[in-house]
Amino acid sequence: MDLGARLKGKHVLVTGASGGLGEHFARLSARCGATVTVAARRREKLEALVLDLRACGAAEAHAVELDVSDEASVEAAFAALKDGPPLDVVVNNAGIAGTGPSIDTQTAEFDRIIGTNLRGVWLMSVAAARQWRDAKHPGVILNIASIVGLRVIGGTAPYVVSKAGVVQMTEVLALEWARFGIRVNALAPGYIVTDINADFFATEPGLQMIRRIPMRRLGQPEDLDGPFLLLATDASAWMTGATIPVDGGHLVSAL
Ligand SMILES: NC(=O)c1ccc[n+]([C@@H]2O[C@H](COP(=O)([O-])OP(=O)(O)OC[C@H]3O[C@@H](n4cnc5c(N)ncnc54)[C@H](OP(=O)(O)O)[C@@H]3O)[C@@H](O)[C@H]2O)c1
């Protein structure tokens, strides 16, 4: 089964596409021949990416400046998108991390992380679902959760809580929106080096963590390609509410 071919001609929106995994998912979708809309706050990064996406096979590529934590920004983006080809897939990838003991974490920091990682997924998902329901158009939501949404680590509690919320949101929205032909699934990646964690993996605790991964290595963005294409396409037509760990076995590491 050629999973990539199933994305050809679909319109895929990726949030947090100005770098890291989001940029990777946008490039992958473009190589499959999808129309790709990339969204994030840094417009200049997106505009450079759009040129690349057109060059590497995207049917069309567009950039939209968007802050997923800001309701007005999300509404404006979806209002603008109404004029283009209908969306088929929304990838809720935008996310931020923060480290520190919970006891010293400021409320503003908690709000910032929850606001992006949890509220952002909610705002984007509801806006997409309303458009799909009103247009009687099927849709796919693919949330990028994390293994820490399924099993905790210390020192990054707001992030852990936000990702656990994304896992539950995936299930409850799948339950409510199956009737509209909207499927909602999630990937729960293990550790993949990007800007979000590169500093950590250069430290001794980071190196120790790599030694606890059963496959003894960090993930590469390409390790997500197969699971991404599965959940983004009708290859997963009878899947909804699922969260798939992709982690080199990290979740099953020995206690
Ligand atoms: N890397 C990993 O090991 C790993 C593991 C599990 C899960 N994840 C998840 O995968 C996703 C991507 O992570 P990454 O490693 O690629 O991180 P990254 O390299 O730091 O990229 C994060 C992206 O999110 C965007 N973003 C942040 N806040 C935003 C906001 N309010 N509105 C719109 N866009 C926003 C950033 O763009 P702007 O600054 O331009 O807005 C950036 O493009 C995150 O949800 C993360 O939690 C990553």
Side-chain angles (χ1 to χ4, degrees), residues 5-74:
R6 291 172 176 240
L7 208 56
K8 191 176 167 72
K10 301 291 185 187
H11 184 184
V12 181
L13 168 71
V14 184
T15 68
S18 58
L21 299 182
E23 179 180 338
H24 180 79
F25 295 141
R27 289 181 185 277
L28 172 64
S29 302
R31 288 198 303 278
C32 295
T35 289
V36 185
T37 296
V38 287
R41 293 165 303 179
R42 289 171 294 172
R43 172 170 275 284
E44 65 294 348
K45 290 247 179 203
L46 297 176
E47 278 167 359
L49 176 61
V50 159
L51 299 179
D52 277 5
L53 297 179
R54 288 184 184 141
C56 77
E60 289 176 47
H62 306 283
V64 54
E65 194 175 317
L66 168 70
D67 180 344
V68 296
S69 67
D70 177 343
E71 189 168 16
S73 175
V74 172

Side-chain angles (χ1 to χ4, degrees), residues 24 115 143 147 213:
H24 180 79
N143 294 328
I147 54 170
I213 301 172

Side-chain angles (χ1 to χ4, degrees), residues 21 27 32 69 78 88 106-107 116 119-120 153 159 172 177 179 205 221 243:
L21 299 182
R27 289 181 185 277
C32 295
S69 67
F78 274 88
D88 297 294
Q106 301 298 313
T107 308
T116 302
R119 186 171 193 269
I153 55 167
Y159 183 77
V172 72
W177 295 348
R179 74 198 66 177
T243 295

Side-chain angles (χ1 to χ4, degrees), residues 28-242:
L28 172 64
S29 302
R31 288 198 303 278
C32 295
T35 289
V36 185
T37 296
V38 287
R41 293 165 303 179
R42 289 171 294 172
R43 172 170 275 284
E44 65 294 348
K45 290 247 179 203
L46 297 176
E47 278 167 359
L49 176 61
V50 159
L51 299 179
D52 277 5
L53 297 179
R54 288 184 184 141
C56 77
E60 289 176 47
H62 306 283
V64 54
E65 194 175 317
L66 168 70
D67 180 344
V68 296
S69 67
D70 177 343
E71 189 168 16
S73 175
V74 172
E75 280 176 359
F78 274 88
L81 281 163
K82 261 192 168 164
D83 299 332
L87 279 174
D88 297 294
V89 182
V90 169
V91 183
N92 284 317
N93 165 83
I96 54 174
T99 52
S102 302
I103 205 156
D104 295 325
T105 297
Q106 301 298 313
T107 308
E109 175 69 350
F110 181 87
D111 289 346
R112 190 178 74 91
I113 294 172
I114 297 289
T116 302
N117 297 5
L118 188 58
R119 186 171 193 269
V121 174
W122 170 265
L123 292 175
M124 289 295 300
S125 300
V126 170
R130 284 179 183 150
Q131 272 201 2
W132 285 326
R133 179 200 56 191
D134 294 349
K136 297 193 172 19
H137 188 284
V140 171
I141 293 173
L142 174 44
N143 294 328
I144 308 303
S146 164
I147 54 170
V148 304
L150 298 165
R151 184 173 160 185
V152 302
I153 55 167
T156 180
Y159 183 77
V160 166
V161 170
S162 72
K163 293 300 184 178
V166 170
V167 171
Q168 286 294 87
M169 201 190 303
T170 300
E171 295 189 15
V172 72
L173 298 185
L175 169 67
E176 291 191 19
W177 295 348
R179 74 198 66 177
F180 303 126
I182 300 169
R183 297 189 300 110
V184 189
N185 291 295
L187 289 180
Y191 290 94
I192 294 167
V193 185
T194 65
D195 289 350
I196 211 169
N197 56 24
D199 293 346
F200 174 67
F201 286 115
T203 65
E204 187 47 38
L207 294 169
Q208 272 176 20
M209 182 176 278
I210 296 170
R211 290 195 282 273
R212 289 200 298 275
I213 301 172
M215 290 187 175
R216 295 285 189 274
R217 70 168 177 89
L218 296 171
Q220 298 297 321
E222 294 72 24
D223 288 316
L224 299 175
D225 290 2
F228 175 90
L229 290 174
L230 170 70
L231 294 185
T233 67
D234 64 5
S236 57
W238 206 50
M239 289 178 71
T240 196

